[in-house]
Amino acid sequence: MAIIPQADPSLRIARFRQEIDRAIGTTLSSRHYILGPAVEKFEHDFAAYLGVRHCVGVASGTDALALSLRSMGVGKGDEVITTALTAPATAQAILQCGAIPRFVDIDPASRCLDTGAVEAAITERTAAIIPVHLFGHPADMPRLMGIAGRHDIAVIEDCAQAHGAMIDGRRLGSFGHAAAFSFYPTKNLGGVGDSGAIVTNDDAIDARLRSLRNYGIPSGQKESSAMGFNSRMDELQAAILSVLLPYLDAGNAERRALAGEYRRELTGVGLCLPPDADGAIYHQFAIACRDRDHMARSLREMDIQTLVHYHPPLHYHPAFRTGDVVHLPECERLSSQLLSLPIQPEVASGNTGYISRSIMKVMGL
Ligand SMILES: *Cc1c(COP(=O)(O)O)cnc(C)c1O
């Protein structure tokens, strides 16, 4: 039997290959390579899909976070509150601006920021909060926006795992002052290289981002008016993402259905299953089990690949150990227990029964 990979973006590309090939051909004939009509079209379509005013295409999800922080004036000495149960990119973006990540604990029910811990961590140096919608499960945005409003702090949603996810019918990315997306190949909306985007309803932030991504040159002008970067989305990524965007909701629905299959098979067997919410889109389906490494090894022997997201948590990474030692008990416990099963439709469809039975076998059931 062939190995069931944890994820394989090439299978999604293969599924839409004809349309993608056509889009690549059209783009090459257009003679635009960077920030051309394909990027404009994708920016327009993605903003409309999310229900926000602006979308700015950039080179990666990390850049989307870092440029968002800079567009709000976050810089040297500022503190940014975020979670330690996330990809290193989240905190790297904070370091890139000269700011200091302040990690607070998660709420185990959502695996996202504990809003009480966020409020307790606010100081006069706190400039921003970056909630991460971990694994496509929504962080508590209404409450976070309330806290941020009372303290006059910026909120940037890390939506790298939350394309299309919702709270009460409203898309994630439309709650914060800005939101950062990644289109890394394994994301729910992923290209064939690096790219990212920031969305916002704020005209001034949008204008600053368009300048920041392009050498500090404001849109429609020729001179650099401030420090800037080269962080632009390219035409080929944009054209491919425009092919895939109309299939995003269907892909997310498939992931939700697969999550439902796992849930039916694995409820009541003594595992901690991921939280569910109507608007969750299951970028990962991560179970928590006590002997995680044994489970991973045993599943691998049964030809099932799994991945660990994320261990160690970020407050143990040398790059982010700034200042006092912090203890984040819920984050640390989950970090040692989480195991991401295959959930990408192209690898998981038809396999959730076998994977669930294999898990139960490892548990001696
Ligand atoms: C993927 C990811 C990023 C970074 O995106 P890149 O495009 O790889 O730079 C940031 N945050 C989270 C939570 C991610 O999963």
Side-chain angles (χ1 to χ4, degrees):
M1 182 179 150
I3 290 171
I4 303 170
Q6 203 276 338
D8 185 349
S10 76
L11 297 177
R12 181 178 32 190
I13 297 303
R15 189 169 164 186
F16 301 105
R17 182 64 192 266
Q18 278 193 332
E19 268 190 85
I20 289 172
D21 280 350
R22 229 177 299 132
I24 290 174
T26 305
T27 306
L28 295 182
S29 304
S30 81
R31 299 181 297 139
H32 292 279
Y33 306 117
I34 301 276
L35 294 188
V39 170
E40 269 177 42
K41 175 182 161 45
F42 177 72
E43 288 178 341
H44 174 272
D45 292 353
F46 197 50
Y49 170 81
L50 295 173
V52 294
R53 283 170 60 81
H54 306 288
C55 172
V56 182
V58 296
S60 71
T62 309
D63 279 6
L65 286 165
L67 296 182
S68 297
L69 289 165
R70 285 184 191 274
S71 76
M72 298 173 185
V74 179
K76 206 167 162 43
D78 289 333
E79 297 180 353
V80 178
I81 294 173
T82 192
T83 166
L85 193 62
T86 180
T90 308
Q92 280 294 346
I94 298 168
L95 290 191
Q96 278 185 29
C97 307
I100 303 158
R102 284 283 173 244
F103 299 112
V104 305
D105 213 348
I106 51 164
D107 173 357
S110 67
R111 299 168 173 176
C112 299
L113 280 179
D114 176 331
T115 54
V118 168
E119 187 139 39
I122 291 172
T123 70
E124 64 279 8
R125 283 163 54 171
T126 306
I129 303 168
I130 303 184
V132 178
H133 306 298
L134 191 72
F135 305 150
H137 187 92
D140 188 345
M141 289 314 299
R143 194 163 291 167
L144 283 169
M145 294 313 291
I147 294 168
R150 281 200 296 286
H151 296 271
D152 198 21
I153 297 167
V155 176
I156 298 164
E157 294 175 71
D158 184 338
C159 287
Q161 305 186 358
H163 315 70
M166 295 189 281
I167 296 174
D168 294 334
R170 180 172 159 193
R171 302 277 186 197
L172 299 186
S174 68
F175 289 85
H177 301 101
F181 287 85
S182 163
F183 307 113
Y184 183 81
T186 57
K187 309 295 187 184
N188 289 34
L189 179 60
V192 299
D194 277 315
S195 66
I198 305 111
V199 300
T200 182
N201 285 314
D202 186 314
D203 297 351
I205 289 173
D206 171 66
R208 284 198 289 276
L209 286 168
R210 287 177 192 282
S211 169
L212 276 167
R213 74 171 170 182
N214 191 33
Y215 315 130
I217 304 172
S219 281
Q221 296 187 26
K222 292 204 166 65
E223 295 170 10
S224 286
S225 61
M227 187 182 71
F229 301 84
N230 172 353
S231 180
R232 300 173 300 217
M233 184 181 269
D234 68 70
E235 290 284 285
L236 280 173
Q237 294 312 322
I240 291 167
L241 292 170
S242 284
V243 168
L244 296 174
L245 178 58
Y247 301 109
L248 174 59
D249 282 343
N252 285 343
E254 287 179 78
R255 285 174 186 261
R256 288 191 52 76
L258 291 163
E261 291 177 17
Y262 277 132
R263 231 174 259 290
R264 275 192 294 283
E265 302 266 3
L266 293 173
T267 294
V269 306
L271 277 173
C272 177
L273 298 179
D276 194 20
D278 289 344
I281 49 102
Y282 293 94
H283 174 62
Q284 299 294 354
F285 187 91
I287 59 172
C289 46
R290 232 164 256 147
D291 205 349
R292 186 256 313 275
D293 297 339
H294 170 68
M295 177 66 80
R297 264 196 314 277
S298 307
L299 291 177
R300 185 61 191 74
E301 280 161 17
M302 292 183 249
D303 293 321
I304 299 161
Q305 191 196 19
T306 57
L307 284 174
V308 170
H309 302 103
Y310 292 93
H311 187 84
L314 298 193
H315 59 302
Y316 287 116
H317 293 218
F320 308 126
R321 268 193 242 137
T322 45
D324 299 343
V325 179
V326 285
H327 291 289
L328 310 172
E330 295 297 344
C331 171
E332 286 162 29
R333 184 181 56 79
L334 267 176
S335 170
S336 68
Q337 295 184 352
L338 287 175
L339 189 64
S340 301
L341 308 180
I343 187 78
Q344 184 194 328
E346 292 81 12
V347 301
S349 286
N351 287 326
T352 58
Y354 172 70
I355 295 169
S356 302
R357 283 193 299 279
S358 302
I359 290 169
M360 289 189 272
K361 198 182 281 176
V362 177
M363 296 174 76
L365 299 170

